[in-house]
Amino acid sequence: MFLENNNKTGGGDLSSIGEVEIFGTTWCAKTQMVRRFFDKMKIPYRFLDLENNPDAIGKLKWITGGYTGHPTVVIDGQTLVEPTIKELEMVLERYGQL
Amino acid sequence: MITDANVKKALSVMYGMLQETWRQLDHLSGGTDPGEKSLNDLLNLYRHAPKMEGRAVNQPLEVGIQAPEFALKDAGGKPVRLSDYKGSTVLLVFYPLDWSPGCSQQLDLYQSEIAEFEKRNVKLIGISIDSIYSHGAWSAARNISFPLLADFNPKGEVAGKYKVYRDKDGFSERALYIVDKDGIIRHGYISPYLHHIPDLYDLFNILDALRKPVITV
């Protein structure tokens, strides 16, 4: 499913997984790829744009101990810094989503 | 759903460790000899390659004009002309260099979205100053299915025609042109910085808007 230009949320409804947050930028290819992964999986997420949201940078630093690499994905409280798609699939598998 | 906070925390730490182990194993998957390089090593070379972060120095051609014709060789040495695509919408992807950090990620992204481009009847063409042999190796390693054209000799001539050549660097800007079925430029974009990959969501929105019929009163 492709989403209209919406920088705040994505995907469809998948209630069995907790909140998903993606920290990144709109110009980062890996962030785009991760967002599209969740779009295609129809898993809702909150996109926090690190360039247009100063609070997001603070939150990311707090989560990662100061590291601002992107994308950083938080799934149900678990933090994944610059995850590969394979790693995201492993996490989703734990939730029975694959 | 795991509800117990302590159990969840322990599992998260454990899975974090597992992911790091997975990364290490993935890195070593090429063979038993520690010095042996794998395809993954080759694919991931860009991660440790020198950065490419310059500001854009050009402005794109204006929308509404005829897109400059070109004839460039693809990785197989076959000449490809823009006019070969008459009747189709074409996305011209000018990028600086094969194997470089941003370009590897950008083309991986487009390849992973190839179905979305096909759904919109858009044909992709990549263009850089690299040789046909570099294009052949790079596209084979990354499984890139759309043609990569060699703007190799005269170097950057086509990039120059499209006003995206960076004279001082000897390669092109990271730029996109959408050319319609009649060969008219409908959209031109140059990334403000070389390491900025155009927003895919914006690109799809523009492609969708261009497909809508224009209503004149």
Side-chain angles (χ1 to χ4, degrees), chain A residues 2 5 27 32 35-36 39-40 45 78 80-82 86-87 94, chain B residues 15 19 22-23 26 105 109 112-113 196-198 200-202 204-205:
Chain A
F2 174 71
N5 190 17
W27 52 262
Q32 295 182 48
R35 289 180 64 194
R36 292 292 294 138
D39 288 345
K40 288 171 190 171
Y45 62 83
Q78 183 187 349
L80 298 105
V81 178
E82 298 182 39
K86 200 186 285 182
E87 288 163 355
R94 283 166 49 205
Chain B
Y15 275 104
Q19 278 166 32
W22 180 279
R23 279 178 168 162
D26 209 31
Q105 295 175 51
L109 177 66
S112 71
E113 297 293 338
H196 282 203
I197 309 303
L200 190 71
Y201 291 84
D202 285 347
F204 284 147
N205 283 334

PDB file of all heavy atoms in Angstrom, chain A residues 2 5 27 32 35-36 39-40 45 78 80-82 86-87 94, chain B residues 15 19 22-23 26 105 109 112-113 196-198 200-202 204-205:
ATOM      1  N   PHE A   2       0.674   2.097  -0.919  1.00  0.00           N
ATOM      2  CA  PHE A   2       1.414   3.353  -0.948  1.00  0.00           C
ATOM      3  C   PHE A   2       0.589   4.428  -0.275  1.00  0.00           C
ATOM      4  O   PHE A   2      -0.607   4.559  -0.508  1.00  0.00           O
ATOM      5  CB  PHE A   2       1.718   3.774  -2.388  1.00  0.00           C
ATOM      6  CG  PHE A   2       2.358   5.125  -2.447  1.00  0.00           C
ATOM      7  CD1 PHE A   2       3.655   5.307  -2.007  1.00  0.00           C
ATOM      8  CD2 PHE A   2       1.633   6.218  -2.854  1.00  0.00           C
ATOM      9  CE1 PHE A   2       4.226   6.560  -2.017  1.00  0.00           C
ATOM     10  CE2 PHE A   2       2.209   7.473  -2.860  1.00  0.00           C
ATOM     11  CZ  PHE A   2       3.506   7.642  -2.454  1.00  0.00           C
ATOM     12  N   ASN A   5       1.284  11.616   0.583  1.00  0.00           N
ATOM     13  CA  ASN A   5       2.371  12.338   1.252  1.00  0.00           C
ATOM     14  C   ASN A   5       1.998  12.665   2.695  1.00  0.00           C
ATOM     15  O   ASN A   5       1.322  13.636   2.973  1.00  0.00           O
ATOM     16  CB  ASN A   5       2.673  13.624   0.480  1.00  0.00           C
ATOM     17  CG  ASN A   5       3.933  14.280   0.997  1.00  0.00           C
ATOM     18  OD1 ASN A   5       4.723  13.644   1.677  1.00  0.00           O
ATOM     19  ND2 ASN A   5       4.129  15.526   0.642  1.00  0.00           N
ATOM     20  N   TRP A  27      15.380  12.799   3.264  1.00  0.00           N
ATOM     21  CA  TRP A  27      16.349  12.621   2.190  1.00  0.00           C
ATOM     22  C   TRP A  27      17.249  11.409   2.387  1.00  0.00           C
ATOM     23  O   TRP A  27      18.127  11.142   1.552  1.00  0.00           O
ATOM     24  CB  TRP A  27      17.207  13.874   2.012  1.00  0.00           C
ATOM     25  CG  TRP A  27      17.857  14.390   3.261  1.00  0.00           C
ATOM     26  CD1 TRP A  27      17.419  15.405   4.059  1.00  0.00           C
ATOM     27  CD2 TRP A  27      19.063  13.892   3.880  1.00  0.00           C
ATOM     28  NE1 TRP A  27      18.276  15.579   5.129  1.00  0.00           N
ATOM     29  CE2 TRP A  27      19.293  14.671   5.045  1.00  0.00           C
ATOM     30  CE3 TRP A  27      19.970  12.884   3.554  1.00  0.00           C
ATOM     31  CZ2 TRP A  27      20.382  14.458   5.879  1.00  0.00           C
ATOM     32  CZ3 TRP A  27      21.058  12.660   4.397  1.00  0.00           C
ATOM     33  CH2 TRP A  27      21.250  13.437   5.539  1.00  0.00           C
ATOM     34  N   GLN A  32      13.920   6.029   3.980  1.00  0.00           N
ATOM     35  CA  GLN A  32      12.828   5.841   3.023  1.00  0.00           C
ATOM     36  C   GLN A  32      12.537   4.350   2.829  1.00  0.00           C
ATOM     37  O   GLN A  32      11.376   3.932   2.768  1.00  0.00           O
ATOM     38  CB  GLN A  32      13.184   6.490   1.683  1.00  0.00           C
ATOM     39  CG  GLN A  32      13.330   8.007   1.765  1.00  0.00           C
ATOM     40  CD  GLN A  32      13.642   8.627   0.412  1.00  0.00           C
ATOM     41  OE1 GLN A  32      12.997   8.338  -0.584  1.00  0.00           O
ATOM     42  NE2 GLN A  32      14.648   9.483   0.363  1.00  0.00           N
ATOM     43  N   ARG A  35      10.745   3.053   5.923  1.00  0.00           N
ATOM     44  CA  ARG A  35       9.349   3.505   5.950  1.00  0.00           C
ATOM     45  C   ARG A  35       8.505   2.723   4.947  1.00  0.00           C
ATOM     46  O   ARG A  35       7.375   2.327   5.236  1.00  0.00           O
ATOM     47  CB  ARG A  35       9.267   5.012   5.623  1.00  0.00           C
ATOM     48  CG  ARG A  35       9.806   5.907   6.722  1.00  0.00           C
ATOM     49  CD  ARG A  35       9.703   7.372   6.333  1.00  0.00           C
ATOM     50  NE  ARG A  35       8.318   7.795   6.176  1.00  0.00           N
ATOM     51  CZ  ARG A  35       7.955   8.941   5.593  1.00  0.00           C
ATOM     52  NH1 ARG A  35       8.866   9.766   5.125  1.00  0.00           N
ATOM     53  NH2 ARG A  35       6.690   9.256   5.502  1.00  0.00           N
ATOM     54  N   ARG A  36       9.072   2.517   3.780  1.00  0.00           N
ATOM     55  CA  ARG A  36       8.332   1.779   2.748  1.00  0.00           C
ATOM     56  C   ARG A  36       8.117   0.321   3.173  1.00  0.00           C
ATOM     57  O   ARG A  36       7.110  -0.284   2.841  1.00  0.00           O
ATOM     58  CB  ARG A  36       9.083   1.849   1.415  1.00  0.00           C
ATOM     59  CG  ARG A  36       9.105   3.237   0.805  1.00  0.00           C
ATOM     60  CD  ARG A  36       7.721   3.677   0.337  1.00  0.00           C
ATOM     61  NE  ARG A  36       7.254   2.853  -0.769  1.00  0.00           N
ATOM     62  CZ  ARG A  36       5.997   2.407  -0.877  1.00  0.00           C
ATOM     63  NH1 ARG A  36       5.100   2.698   0.046  1.00  0.00           N
ATOM     64  NH2 ARG A  36       5.652   1.670  -1.906  1.00  0.00           N
ATOM     65  N   ASP A  39       5.195   0.468   5.333  1.00  0.00           N
ATOM     66  CA  ASP A  39       4.021   0.730   4.482  1.00  0.00           C
ATOM     67  C   ASP A  39       3.528  -0.571   3.853  1.00  0.00           C
ATOM     68  O   ASP A  39       2.337  -0.887   3.874  1.00  0.00           O
ATOM     69  CB  ASP A  39       4.381   1.695   3.332  1.00  0.00           C
ATOM     70  CG  ASP A  39       4.607   3.126   3.795  1.00  0.00           C
ATOM     71  OD1 ASP A  39       4.216   3.461   4.928  1.00  0.00           O
ATOM     72  OD2 ASP A  39       5.179   3.905   3.008  1.00  0.00           O
ATOM     73  N   LYS A  40       4.476  -1.297   3.272  1.00  0.00           N
ATOM     74  CA  LYS A  40       4.105  -2.523   2.550  1.00  0.00           C
ATOM     75  C   LYS A  40       3.576  -3.593   3.503  1.00  0.00           C
ATOM     76  O   LYS A  40       2.742  -4.399   3.121  1.00  0.00           O
ATOM     77  CB  LYS A  40       5.321  -3.048   1.775  1.00  0.00           C
ATOM     78  CG  LYS A  40       5.673  -2.184   0.565  1.00  0.00           C
ATOM     79  CD  LYS A  40       7.004  -2.617  -0.051  1.00  0.00           C
ATOM     80  CE  LYS A  40       7.460  -1.618  -1.091  1.00  0.00           C
ATOM     81  NZ  LYS A  40       8.836  -1.874  -1.549  1.00  0.00           N
ATOM     82  N   TYR A  45       2.994   3.489  11.756  1.00  0.00           N
ATOM     83  CA  TYR A  45       4.187   4.000  12.440  1.00  0.00           C
ATOM     84  C   TYR A  45       4.106   5.513  12.523  1.00  0.00           C
ATOM     85  O   TYR A  45       3.337   6.149  11.804  1.00  0.00           O
ATOM     86  CB  TYR A  45       5.461   3.586  11.698  1.00  0.00           C
ATOM     87  CG  TYR A  45       5.573   4.124  10.289  1.00  0.00           C
ATOM     88  CD1 TYR A  45       6.051   5.402  10.025  1.00  0.00           C
ATOM     89  CD2 TYR A  45       5.181   3.331   9.211  1.00  0.00           C
ATOM     90  CE1 TYR A  45       6.132   5.882   8.730  1.00  0.00           C
ATOM     91  CE2 TYR A  45       5.259   3.805   7.912  1.00  0.00           C
ATOM     92  CZ  TYR A  45       5.742   5.081   7.667  1.00  0.00           C
ATOM     93  OH  TYR A  45       5.807   5.557   6.386  1.00  0.00           O
ATOM     94  N   GLN A  78      11.599  -1.458  21.819  1.00  0.00           N
ATOM     95  CA  GLN A  78      12.916  -1.975  21.428  1.00  0.00           C
ATOM     96  C   GLN A  78      13.533  -1.061  20.378  1.00  0.00           C
ATOM     97  O   GLN A  78      12.888  -0.714  19.387  1.00  0.00           O
ATOM     98  CB  GLN A  78      12.782  -3.382  20.857  1.00  0.00           C
ATOM     99  CG  GLN A  78      14.132  -3.982  20.510  1.00  0.00           C
ATOM    100  CD  GLN A  78      13.995  -5.313  19.784  1.00  0.00           C
ATOM    101  OE1 GLN A  78      12.918  -5.884  19.720  1.00  0.00           O
ATOM    102  NE2 GLN A  78      15.089  -5.771  19.209  1.00  0.00           N
ATOM    103  N   LEU A  80      16.201  -0.112  17.451  1.00  0.00           N
ATOM    104  CA  LEU A  80      17.071  -0.674  16.418  1.00  0.00           C
ATOM    105  C   LEU A  80      17.717   0.488  15.659  1.00  0.00           C
ATOM    106  O   LEU A  80      17.028   1.272  15.019  1.00  0.00           O
ATOM    107  CB  LEU A  80      16.271  -1.537  15.443  1.00  0.00           C
ATOM    108  CG  LEU A  80      15.577  -2.752  16.057  1.00  0.00           C
ATOM    109  CD1 LEU A  80      14.084  -2.507  16.174  1.00  0.00           C
ATOM    110  CD2 LEU A  80      15.847  -3.966  15.201  1.00  0.00           C
ATOM    111  N   VAL A  81      19.034   0.589  15.773  1.00  0.00           N
ATOM    112  CA  VAL A  81      19.752   1.678  15.108  1.00  0.00           C
ATOM    113  C   VAL A  81      20.209   1.210  13.734  1.00  0.00           C
ATOM    114  O   VAL A  81      20.897   0.191  13.611  1.00  0.00           O
ATOM    115  CB  VAL A  81      20.960   2.132  15.950  1.00  0.00           C
ATOM    116  CG1 VAL A  81      21.725   3.236  15.231  1.00  0.00           C
ATOM    117  CG2 VAL A  81      20.494   2.629  17.309  1.00  0.00           C
ATOM    118  N   GLU A  82      19.786   1.940  12.727  1.00  0.00           N
ATOM    119  CA  GLU A  82      20.117   1.631  11.332  1.00  0.00           C
ATOM    120  C   GLU A  82      19.913   0.140  11.021  1.00  0.00           C
ATOM    121  O   GLU A  82      20.835  -0.556  10.566  1.00  0.00           O
ATOM    122  CB  GLU A  82      21.543   2.069  10.993  1.00  0.00           C
ATOM    123  CG  GLU A  82      21.729   3.580  11.128  1.00  0.00           C
ATOM    124  CD  GLU A  82      23.128   4.031  10.738  1.00  0.00           C
ATOM    125  OE1 GLU A  82      23.673   3.493   9.761  1.00  0.00           O
ATOM    126  OE2 GLU A  82      23.673   4.917  11.422  1.00  0.00           O
ATOM    127  N   LYS A  86      16.359  -7.190   6.843  1.00  0.00           N
ATOM    128  CA  LYS A  86      16.399  -8.546   7.397  1.00  0.00           C
ATOM    129  C   LYS A  86      16.202  -8.506   8.910  1.00  0.00           C
ATOM    130  O   LYS A  86      15.486  -9.320   9.486  1.00  0.00           O
ATOM    131  CB  LYS A  86      17.753  -9.180   7.048  1.00  0.00           C
ATOM    132  CG  LYS A  86      17.771 -10.703   7.119  1.00  0.00           C
ATOM    133  CD  LYS A  86      19.159 -11.254   6.914  1.00  0.00           C
ATOM    134  CE  LYS A  86      19.632 -11.206   5.483  1.00  0.00           C
ATOM    135  NZ  LYS A  86      20.990 -11.802   5.306  1.00  0.00           N
ATOM    136  N   GLU A  87      16.829  -7.538   9.569  1.00  0.00           N
ATOM    137  CA  GLU A  87      16.694  -7.421  11.023  1.00  0.00           C
ATOM    138  C   GLU A  87      15.270  -7.030  11.419  1.00  0.00           C
ATOM    139  O   GLU A  87      14.737  -7.521  12.409  1.00  0.00           O
ATOM    140  CB  GLU A  87      17.707  -6.405  11.557  1.00  0.00           C
ATOM    141  CG  GLU A  87      19.129  -6.939  11.526  1.00  0.00           C
ATOM    142  CD  GLU A  87      20.193  -5.862  11.651  1.00  0.00           C
ATOM    143  OE1 GLU A  87      19.849  -4.664  11.671  1.00  0.00           O
ATOM    144  OE2 GLU A  87      21.374  -6.229  11.712  1.00  0.00           O
ATOM    145  N   ARG A  94       9.029 -12.200  15.506  1.00  0.00           N
ATOM    146  CA  ARG A  94       8.764 -12.432  16.938  1.00  0.00           C
ATOM    147  C   ARG A  94       7.332 -12.102  17.290  1.00  0.00           C
ATOM    148  O   ARG A  94       6.744 -12.659  18.202  1.00  0.00           O
ATOM    149  CB  ARG A  94       9.684 -11.559  17.798  1.00  0.00           C
ATOM    150  CG  ARG A  94      11.088 -12.066  17.896  1.00  0.00           C
ATOM    151  CD  ARG A  94      11.983 -10.982  18.457  1.00  0.00           C
ATOM    152  NE  ARG A  94      11.454 -10.373  19.662  1.00  0.00           N
ATOM    153  CZ  ARG A  94      11.747  -9.146  20.071  1.00  0.00           C
ATOM    154  NH1 ARG A  94      12.555  -8.380  19.379  1.00  0.00           N
ATOM    155  NH2 ARG A  94      11.215  -8.660  21.184  1.00  0.00           N
TER     156      ARG A  94
ATOM    157  N   TYR B  15      17.592  -9.787  22.159  1.00  0.00           N
ATOM    158  CA  TYR B  15      17.454  -9.657  20.712  1.00  0.00           C
ATOM    159  C   TYR B  15      18.432  -8.641  20.142  1.00  0.00           C
ATOM    160  O   TYR B  15      18.889  -8.778  19.013  1.00  0.00           O
ATOM    161  CB  TYR B  15      16.014  -9.324  20.334  1.00  0.00           C
ATOM    162  CG  TYR B  15      15.180 -10.565  20.225  1.00  0.00           C
ATOM    163  CD1 TYR B  15      14.283 -10.915  21.221  1.00  0.00           C
ATOM    164  CD2 TYR B  15      15.318 -11.423  19.135  1.00  0.00           C
ATOM    165  CE1 TYR B  15      13.531 -12.070  21.146  1.00  0.00           C
ATOM    166  CE2 TYR B  15      14.580 -12.580  19.052  1.00  0.00           C
ATOM    167  CZ  TYR B  15      13.684 -12.905  20.052  1.00  0.00           C
ATOM    168  OH  TYR B  15      12.964 -14.054  19.977  1.00  0.00           O
ATOM    169  N   GLN B  19      20.963  -9.552  17.248  1.00  0.00           N
ATOM    170  CA  GLN B  19      21.115  -8.798  15.994  1.00  0.00           C
ATOM    171  C   GLN B  19      22.572  -8.489  15.693  1.00  0.00           C
ATOM    172  O   GLN B  19      23.015  -8.573  14.558  1.00  0.00           O
ATOM    173  CB  GLN B  19      20.332  -7.494  16.075  1.00  0.00           C
ATOM    174  CG  GLN B  19      18.862  -7.693  15.771  1.00  0.00           C
ATOM    175  CD  GLN B  19      18.062  -6.496  16.171  1.00  0.00           C
ATOM    176  OE1 GLN B  19      18.565  -5.374  16.103  1.00  0.00           O
ATOM    177  NE2 GLN B  19      16.848  -6.709  16.620  1.00  0.00           N
ATOM    178  N   TRP B  22      24.072 -11.571  14.469  1.00  0.00           N
ATOM    179  CA  TRP B  22      23.582 -11.784  13.098  1.00  0.00           C
ATOM    180  C   TRP B  22      24.386 -10.932  12.120  1.00  0.00           C
ATOM    181  O   TRP B  22      24.797 -11.402  11.066  1.00  0.00           O
ATOM    182  CB  TRP B  22      22.096 -11.419  13.053  1.00  0.00           C
ATOM    183  CG  TRP B  22      21.465 -11.600  11.719  1.00  0.00           C
ATOM    184  CD1 TRP B  22      21.514 -10.741  10.652  1.00  0.00           C
ATOM    185  CD2 TRP B  22      20.673 -12.702  11.281  1.00  0.00           C
ATOM    186  NE1 TRP B  22      20.800 -11.232   9.593  1.00  0.00           N
ATOM    187  CE2 TRP B  22      20.282 -12.443   9.955  1.00  0.00           C
ATOM    188  CE3 TRP B  22      20.249 -13.893  11.891  1.00  0.00           C
ATOM    189  CZ2 TRP B  22      19.479 -13.321   9.221  1.00  0.00           C
ATOM    190  CZ3 TRP B  22      19.447 -14.757  11.159  1.00  0.00           C
ATOM    191  CH2 TRP B  22      19.089 -14.475   9.859  1.00  0.00           C
ATOM    192  N   ARG B  23      24.611  -9.674  12.515  1.00  0.00           N
ATOM    193  CA  ARG B  23      25.379  -8.771  11.641  1.00  0.00           C
ATOM    194  C   ARG B  23      26.779  -9.316  11.410  1.00  0.00           C
ATOM    195  O   ARG B  23      27.306  -9.275  10.315  1.00  0.00           O
ATOM    196  CB  ARG B  23      25.460  -7.375  12.248  1.00  0.00           C
ATOM    197  CG  ARG B  23      24.202  -6.559  12.002  1.00  0.00           C
ATOM    198  CD  ARG B  23      24.277  -5.190  12.639  1.00  0.00           C
ATOM    199  NE  ARG B  23      23.191  -4.348  12.136  1.00  0.00           N
ATOM    200  CZ  ARG B  23      22.781  -3.235  12.729  1.00  0.00           C
ATOM    201  NH1 ARG B  23      23.360  -2.824  13.833  1.00  0.00           N
ATOM    202  NH2 ARG B  23      21.816  -2.527  12.208  1.00  0.00           N
ATOM    203  N   ASP B  26      26.589 -12.327   9.147  1.00  0.00           N
ATOM    204  CA  ASP B  26      26.300 -11.869   7.796  1.00  0.00           C
ATOM    205  C   ASP B  26      27.575 -11.358   7.134  1.00  0.00           C
ATOM    206  O   ASP B  26      27.855 -11.618   5.983  1.00  0.00           O
ATOM    207  CB  ASP B  26      25.264 -10.736   7.882  1.00  0.00           C
ATOM    208  CG  ASP B  26      24.413 -10.691   6.636  1.00  0.00           C
ATOM    209  OD1 ASP B  26      24.196 -11.759   6.042  1.00  0.00           O
ATOM    210  OD2 ASP B  26      23.988  -9.587   6.263  1.00  0.00           O
ATOM    211  N   GLN B 105      22.591   3.425  -2.391  1.00  0.00           N
ATOM    212  CA  GLN B 105      21.338   3.382  -1.632  1.00  0.00           C
ATOM    213  C   GLN B 105      20.158   3.858  -2.473  1.00  0.00           C
ATOM    214  O   GLN B 105      19.057   3.317  -2.391  1.00  0.00           O
ATOM    215  CB  GLN B 105      21.467   4.251  -0.384  1.00  0.00           C
ATOM    216  CG  GLN B 105      22.486   3.730   0.603  1.00  0.00           C
ATOM    217  CD  GLN B 105      22.668   4.681   1.768  1.00  0.00           C
ATOM    218  OE1 GLN B 105      21.719   5.100   2.394  1.00  0.00           O
ATOM    219  NE2 GLN B 105      23.890   5.043   2.052  1.00  0.00           N
ATOM    220  N   LEU B 109      16.982   1.591  -3.493  1.00  0.00           N
ATOM    221  CA  LEU B 109      15.628   2.029  -3.150  1.00  0.00           C
ATOM    222  C   LEU B 109      14.714   1.931  -4.371  1.00  0.00           C
ATOM    223  O   LEU B 109      13.605   1.397  -4.291  1.00  0.00           O
ATOM    224  CB  LEU B 109      15.675   3.474  -2.629  1.00  0.00           C
ATOM    225  CG  LEU B 109      14.347   4.136  -2.289  1.00  0.00           C
ATOM    226  CD1 LEU B 109      13.672   3.464  -1.094  1.00  0.00           C
ATOM    227  CD2 LEU B 109      14.548   5.628  -1.981  1.00  0.00           C
ATOM    228  N   SER B 112      13.899  -1.595  -5.278  1.00  0.00           N
ATOM    229  CA  SER B 112      12.930  -2.203  -4.359  1.00  0.00           C
ATOM    230  C   SER B 112      11.518  -1.688  -4.615  1.00  0.00           C
ATOM    231  O   SER B 112      10.546  -2.284  -4.155  1.00  0.00           O
ATOM    232  CB  SER B 112      13.330  -1.954  -2.899  1.00  0.00           C
ATOM    233  OG  SER B 112      13.138  -0.601  -2.548  1.00  0.00           O
ATOM    234  N   GLU B 113      11.396  -0.571  -5.327  1.00  0.00           N
ATOM    235  CA  GLU B 113      10.090   0.023  -5.621  1.00  0.00           C
ATOM    236  C   GLU B 113       9.711  -0.132  -7.091  1.00  0.00           C
ATOM    237  O   GLU B 113       8.831   0.581  -7.579  1.00  0.00           O
ATOM    238  CB  GLU B 113      10.099   1.515  -5.252  1.00  0.00           C
ATOM    239  CG  GLU B 113      10.320   1.797  -3.784  1.00  0.00           C
ATOM    240  CD  GLU B 113       9.157   1.335  -2.908  1.00  0.00           C
ATOM    241  OE1 GLU B 113       8.034   1.181  -3.426  1.00  0.00           O
ATOM    242  OE2 GLU B 113       9.390   1.122  -1.703  1.00  0.00           O
ATOM    243  N   HIS B 196      21.874  13.951  -0.515  1.00  0.00           N
ATOM    244  CA  HIS B 196      20.431  13.930  -0.298  1.00  0.00           C
ATOM    245  C   HIS B 196      19.740  13.137  -1.410  1.00  0.00           C
ATOM    246  O   HIS B 196      19.845  13.491  -2.588  1.00  0.00           O
ATOM    247  CB  HIS B 196      19.867  15.354  -0.276  1.00  0.00           C
ATOM    248  CG  HIS B 196      20.108  16.061   1.019  1.00  0.00           C
ATOM    249  ND1 HIS B 196      19.341  17.113   1.458  1.00  0.00           N
ATOM    250  CD2 HIS B 196      21.037  15.849   1.988  1.00  0.00           C
ATOM    251  CE1 HIS B 196      19.782  17.524   2.628  1.00  0.00           C
ATOM    252  NE2 HIS B 196      20.822  16.784   2.967  1.00  0.00           N
ATOM    253  N   ILE B 197      19.055  12.102  -1.011  1.00  0.00           N
ATOM    254  CA  ILE B 197      18.311  11.280  -1.961  1.00  0.00           C
ATOM    255  C   ILE B 197      16.899  11.860  -2.076  1.00  0.00           C
ATOM    256  O   ILE B 197      16.251  12.092  -1.049  1.00  0.00           O
ATOM    257  CB  ILE B 197      18.219   9.811  -1.457  1.00  0.00           C
ATOM    258  CG1 ILE B 197      19.604   9.280  -1.079  1.00  0.00           C
ATOM    259  CG2 ILE B 197      17.539   8.924  -2.490  1.00  0.00           C
ATOM    260  CD1 ILE B 197      20.643   9.335  -2.167  1.00  0.00           C
ATOM    261  N   PRO B 198      16.427  12.120  -3.304  1.00  0.00           N
ATOM    262  CA  PRO B 198      15.087  12.708  -3.441  1.00  0.00           C
ATOM    263  C   PRO B 198      14.033  11.892  -2.688  1.00  0.00           C
ATOM    264  O   PRO B 198      14.096  10.658  -2.656  1.00  0.00           O
ATOM    265  CB  PRO B 198      14.842  12.646  -4.955  1.00  0.00           C
ATOM    266  CG  PRO B 198      16.202  12.634  -5.572  1.00  0.00           C
ATOM    267  CD  PRO B 198      17.071  11.876  -4.610  1.00  0.00           C
ATOM    268  N   LEU B 200      11.119   9.852  -1.946  1.00  0.00           N
ATOM    269  CA  LEU B 200      10.336   8.933  -2.776  1.00  0.00           C
ATOM    270  C   LEU B 200       8.838   9.234  -2.710  1.00  0.00           C
ATOM    271  O   LEU B 200       8.122   9.096  -3.706  1.00  0.00           O
ATOM    272  CB  LEU B 200      10.596   7.497  -2.318  1.00  0.00           C
ATOM    273  CG  LEU B 200      10.062   6.387  -3.199  1.00  0.00           C
ATOM    274  CD1 LEU B 200      10.850   6.292  -4.497  1.00  0.00           C
ATOM    275  CD2 LEU B 200      10.112   5.055  -2.473  1.00  0.00           C
ATOM    276  N   TYR B 201       8.384   9.658  -1.528  1.00  0.00           N
ATOM    277  CA  TYR B 201       6.960   9.967  -1.368  1.00  0.00           C
ATOM    278  C   TYR B 201       6.587  11.159  -2.248  1.00  0.00           C
ATOM    279  O   TYR B 201       5.551  11.166  -2.907  1.00  0.00           O
ATOM    280  CB  TYR B 201       6.632  10.255   0.102  1.00  0.00           C
ATOM    281  CG  TYR B 201       6.732   9.038   0.995  1.00  0.00           C
ATOM    282  CD1 TYR B 201       7.955   8.654   1.525  1.00  0.00           C
ATOM    283  CD2 TYR B 201       5.620   8.273   1.284  1.00  0.00           C
ATOM    284  CE1 TYR B 201       8.057   7.532   2.333  1.00  0.00           C
ATOM    285  CE2 TYR B 201       5.702   7.151   2.095  1.00  0.00           C
ATOM    286  CZ  TYR B 201       6.929   6.783   2.615  1.00  0.00           C
ATOM    287  OH  TYR B 201       7.031   5.671   3.402  1.00  0.00           O
ATOM    288  N   ASP B 202       7.460  12.170  -2.251  1.00  0.00           N
ATOM    289  CA  ASP B 202       7.222  13.326  -3.126  1.00  0.00           C
ATOM    290  C   ASP B 202       7.231  12.885  -4.579  1.00  0.00           C
ATOM    291  O   ASP B 202       6.389  13.319  -5.373  1.00  0.00           O
ATOM    292  CB  ASP B 202       8.319  14.396  -2.931  1.00  0.00           C
ATOM    293  CG  ASP B 202       8.149  15.161  -1.635  1.00  0.00           C
ATOM    294  OD1 ASP B 202       7.069  15.049  -1.008  1.00  0.00           O
ATOM    295  OD2 ASP B 202       9.103  15.854  -1.235  1.00  0.00           O
ATOM    296  N   PHE B 204       6.540   9.967  -5.965  1.00  0.00           N
ATOM    297  CA  PHE B 204       5.321   9.246  -6.345  1.00  0.00           C
ATOM    298  C   PHE B 204       4.132  10.199  -6.436  1.00  0.00           C
ATOM    299  O   PHE B 204       3.276  10.053  -7.303  1.00  0.00           O
ATOM    300  CB  PHE B 204       5.034   8.120  -5.352  1.00  0.00           C
ATOM    301  CG  PHE B 204       5.924   6.914  -5.535  1.00  0.00           C
ATOM    302  CD1 PHE B 204       6.307   6.143  -4.461  1.00  0.00           C
ATOM    303  CD2 PHE B 204       6.378   6.542  -6.799  1.00  0.00           C
ATOM    304  CE1 PHE B 204       7.122   5.028  -4.627  1.00  0.00           C
ATOM    305  CE2 PHE B 204       7.196   5.437  -6.981  1.00  0.00           C
ATOM    306  CZ  PHE B 204       7.570   4.680  -5.891  1.00  0.00           C
ATOM    307  N   ASN B 205       4.082  11.164  -5.515  1.00  0.00           N
ATOM    308  CA  ASN B 205       2.986  12.131  -5.571  1.00  0.00           C
ATOM    309  C   ASN B 205       3.033  12.951  -6.857  1.00  0.00           C
ATOM    310  O   ASN B 205       2.006  13.234  -7.463  1.00  0.00           O
ATOM    311  CB  ASN B 205       3.033  13.063  -4.353  1.00  0.00           C
ATOM    312  CG  ASN B 205       2.495  12.384  -3.106  1.00  0.00           C
ATOM    313  OD1 ASN B 205       1.687  11.459  -3.195  1.00  0.00           O
ATOM    314  ND2 ASN B 205       2.954  12.816  -1.956  1.00  0.00           N
TER     315      ASN B 205
END
